[in-house]
Amino acid sequence: MNTQKYSEEELKIAPWLKSYGEVKFHLDYPDISMYRAVLNSAEKYPCQDALCFQEKNTDFRTLVRQIKQTAKAFSAIGIKEGDTVTVCMPNIPQTVMCLYAINSIGAVASMIHPLSAVGEIVFYLEEAKSKTIVTIDQFYSKICEVRQQTELDHIIVASVSDALSPVKKVAYKVIKERKFPKVNEDGTVVRWNRFYKNGDSVKKNTVVEKKGNDVAVILFSGGTTGTSKGIQLTNINFNSLALQTGVMCNKQVQGATMLAAMPMFHGFGLGVCVHTMMYWGGRSYLVPQVSVKGYSDLLKNAKPNFIAGVPTLYEGITRNKDMDGVDLSCLRGVFSGGDSLSVELKKKIDRFLQEHNSPVRVREGYGTTECVTACCLTPYNKEKEGSIGLPYPDTYFAICEPGTVNEVPYGTEGEICLRGPSVMTGYIGHEEENRNTLVRHQDGNIWLHTGDVGTMDEEGFVYFKQRIKRLIVVSGYNVYPSQLENIIDSVEEVRMSCCIGVPDTYKMHKVKAFVVLKAGIQPSEELKEKILDCCRKQIAKWAIPYEIEFRTELPKTLVGKIAYRVLEEEETKKINSQTV
């Protein structure tokens, strides 16, 4: 029963409001920075734990003190309002400290994956115009290679052990850190502890009061063309997402624990698993490296209230015998995103949750990095098979004829378009794609054209169908075929290539490359290894093809483009024939 009052006109443009139940659709969004939102939580709940890492808790009062010290440390090396600092770290406390410290001084945090290849990191730095990077000692040697290809003024090297309790610190140093390359401090390179201590030299207040519309974070994604680009996201983008997520959840978030296993370079991990909890006064249990076994242990021991992950993770958990007999009655919310959740897998997860005493079912979400992450979620009170749910508060969805602003009838496939407070300001330096992606509709509003195909039914439930843009999602991580093809085509012996996503029961998709060699060049295992080695140097490991198939020709469209969909259909038929 809907407890809210909406006009007939509003129900006409937002039919989902009839199914919203107790959730408010219109919210008040504070015009403040991300840092100020955390400060507000610290003022309300100073003794409430904000972070947990390796069983070591940090309360909000302590976290804010650490953020302020980190901000002074950045100020001490010359970082100022408007600068961009690249954070290339896993989910550890220093990552959180850096994010909010950078935000507090009016700078911009560019969040990137620490497992990115050297060539990718160079691209991210140059795209964001960043000359400062924070990483951990495990990846120091890779950053040294990056330094040879692009100018860096500051390399700050943290260690996981810096955030551990004394006993665990000793064990980690003996078991792990002794294997890492030695960090040679010089005018550019500084260890985290020295960097942090240098903040003592700054006596002035470093806080720059930024507003909601100021850019706060850069995340990288593929856009509608499927090539990686920097997405500029504002304070209001993140704060609205946090507020919306907490309201849409319809459960108490303050004082609750979220397993933060999704990485902070990802909108899902940063926006939902961390900032939403910081905004509401909850606790993020930081997980720097995810394995099914490790995650299962956390479910048993940490007893979280909220978990969020990609379908691959849930698939692995349901198969894990270590979960036998584990009580999950602690759960208040289980959220799936980052990739499509099949109907069968959802049923499997729901059965698993029920068998383990969970009071909740999995709720599928949908979103893009262009609106931070989630903008649509299965409601708490109703679900429809195959649906990704209802739009977030103050977020409007429309299904349009691809390439136009014309809405199609209910039940008709079209491009998913949306508008709301979490939509980006735009891509860095890609004005044409900004014009094609952020489009003014007949209602006078700017709408985000997602490049995804979907439908909406008469009750406002949204259904994701497929992507218009070429994009392969492997275990929740985006792989851009055109980027990979450019790398393969750079190999001297290669004439052309095409990369596709092949269905996989665990990863959802894996990458396969089809390669045509130049005249006179014969296929060989040595050449295959040369191509793979070229890939390893320039792209992350999840994007590396699991298989390379040499062909004499590739199928073409009528206009002469490589018909990658034909290759996809061939592989799907091959898989289906093998399972019959």
Side-chain angles (χ1 to χ4, degrees), residues 189-489:
V189 180
V190 61
R191 280 278 198 176
W192 173 269
N193 286 339
R194 188 187 302 275
F195 161 77
Y196 189 76
K197 178 68 175 173
N198 286 345
D200 292 341
S201 65
V202 178
K203 305 302 180 184
K204 65 177 182 179
N205 177 23
T206 60
V207 176
V208 176
E209 293 292 351
K210 305 297 279 188
K211 295 299 184 181
N213 288 330
D214 290 316
V215 175
V217 173
I218 295 171
L219 298 178
F220 285 85
S221 187
T224 54
T225 60
T227 55
S228 187
K229 53 185 66 65
I231 295 171
Q232 298 177 102
L233 297 163
T234 66
N235 288 300
I236 195 65
N237 290 159
F238 278 93
N239 288 336
S240 62
L241 173 88
L243 182 56
Q244 291 167 330
T245 300
V247 170
M248 198 73 171
C249 179
N250 201 44
K251 298 285 185 179
Q252 182 173 326
V253 179
Q254 194 280 313
T257 296
M258 162 79 82
L259 274 191
M262 293 295 290
M264 285 180 64
F265 67 84
H266 193 292
F268 199 0
L270 181 57
V272 173
C273 297
V274 174
H275 190 60
T276 293
M277 303 310 288
M278 298 301 99
Y279 186 98
W280 285 91
R283 180 177 77 151
S284 288
Y285 197 114
L286 300 176
V287 183
Q289 186 175 8
V290 180
S291 68
V292 171
K293 173 69 167 63
Y295 199 86
S296 298
D297 289 343
L298 287 171
L299 288 175
K300 287 189 285 187
N301 301 323
K303 297 293 182 185
N305 307 114
F306 299 102
I307 58 176
V310 295
T312 302
L313 177 64
Y314 292 122
E315 169 72 22
I317 291 171
T318 61
R319 296 183 188 181
N320 190 354
K321 295 299 182 183
D322 291 337
M323 288 300 296
D324 290 351
V326 174
D327 180 66
L328 295 179
S329 59
C330 57
L331 293 175
R332 301 177 195 173
V334 178
F335 307 104
S336 177
D339 200 355
S340 297
L341 181 66
S342 70
V343 171
E344 287 307 310
L345 181 54
K346 174 170 168 45
K347 290 178 180 178
K348 184 178 180 180
I349 297 168
D350 285 338
R351 281 196 305 269
F352 174 86
L353 291 170
Q354 184 179 25
E355 290 166 359
H356 290 75
N357 301 322
S358 169
V360 296
R361 294 157 64 90
V362 64
R363 296 168 65 180
E364 184 176 9
Y366 163 84
T368 69
T369 314
E370 286 80 357
C371 61
V372 183
T373 179
C375 57
C376 188
L377 181 68
T378 303
Y380 73 95
N381 56 347
K382 186 177 184 179
E383 61 182 50
K384 290 189 177 185
E385 189 172 280
S387 173
I388 53 176
L390 305 178
Y392 260 27
D394 295 298
T395 301
Y396 293 86
F397 270 55
I399 310 298
C400 295
E401 181 182 343
T404 76
V405 299
N406 303 320
E407 294 188 32
V408 298
Y410 292 128
T412 304
E413 286 192 4
E415 183 177 11
I416 298 174
C417 302
L418 62 100
R419 65 178 175 88
S422 66
V423 173
M424 67 173 183
T425 62
Y427 303 113
I428 301 173
H430 295 269
E431 295 308 316
E432 182 177 356
E433 188 160 359
N434 283 335
R435 287 191 293 271
N436 294 333
T437 304
L438 299 171
V439 182
R440 190 175 300 280
H441 283 208
Q442 294 167 351
D443 61 2
N445 293 302
I446 299 294
W447 291 71
L448 171 68
H449 284 234
T450 65
D452 291 333
V453 174
T455 64
M456 181 187 292
D457 66 20
E458 293 185 354
E459 292 186 284
F461 279 78
V462 183
Y463 300 79
F464 171 85
K465 299 298 181 181
Q466 64 180 15
R467 290 181 170 84
I468 297 173
K469 58 194 173 190
R470 283 191 70 197
L471 180 66
I472 305 168
V473 181
V474 179
S475 298
Y477 296 125
N478 290 351
V479 176
Y480 309 115
S482 57
Q483 177 186 7
L484 183 51
E485 288 156 4
N486 287 338
I487 293 169
I488 294 174
D489 291 351

